[in-house]
Amino acid sequence: MLLAVQGYFEAGRFITDAPIQIPEGRKTIITVLDEKIDTEKEKEQYIAYWNNIIEDIKNSDELLEGEPDRMRFKTPEGIQTL
């Protein structure tokens, strides 16, 4: 099994972008990229991205009909069984 997790180091600890559970005794490899994360810049880009989506939705004249399909995401445990 291979699982990629993004995050950053802060105060000597690895902080993931999303919660994750790694089973005890698993061999892990951490790759450190030689780039510093600009969290303020990243936050601004994230906000601008979603503002564009919201603006596109507001400007859309498409008529929505029916119920949307439900999405189901696999848990880390479910991914391991694949």
Side-chain angles (χ1 to χ4, degrees):
M1 173 184 80
L2 179 64
L3 176 64
V5 179
Q6 287 189 336
Y8 59 94
F9 272 100
E10 184 176 287
R13 298 186 69 185
F14 179 68
I15 311 298
T16 62
D17 290 344
I20 183 167
Q21 293 181 354
I22 300 172
E24 293 291 325
R26 292 290 177 146
K27 183 177 184 178
T28 57
I29 299 171
I30 296 176
T31 302
V32 179
L33 301 176
D34 192 22
E35 61 184 52
K36 186 167 174 69
I37 294 177
D38 183 352
T39 54
E40 196 59 40
K41 180 180 177 184
E42 211 171 80
K43 182 179 176 181
E44 289 173 10
Q45 290 173 339
Y46 182 78
I47 290 169
Y49 173 80
W50 282 104
N51 282 339
N52 285 339
I53 290 174
I54 292 168
E55 194 63 32
D56 287 344
I57 291 171
K58 287 180 182 177
N59 293 331
S60 173
D61 60 354
E62 181 180 354
L63 178 62
L64 300 178
E65 298 176 356
E67 288 290 317
D69 293 335
R70 297 278 178 199
M71 294 177 57
R72 294 180 188 229
F73 295 98
K74 292 199 177 291
T75 63
E77 293 81 18
I79 292 171
Q80 290 177 357
T81 62
L82 294 176

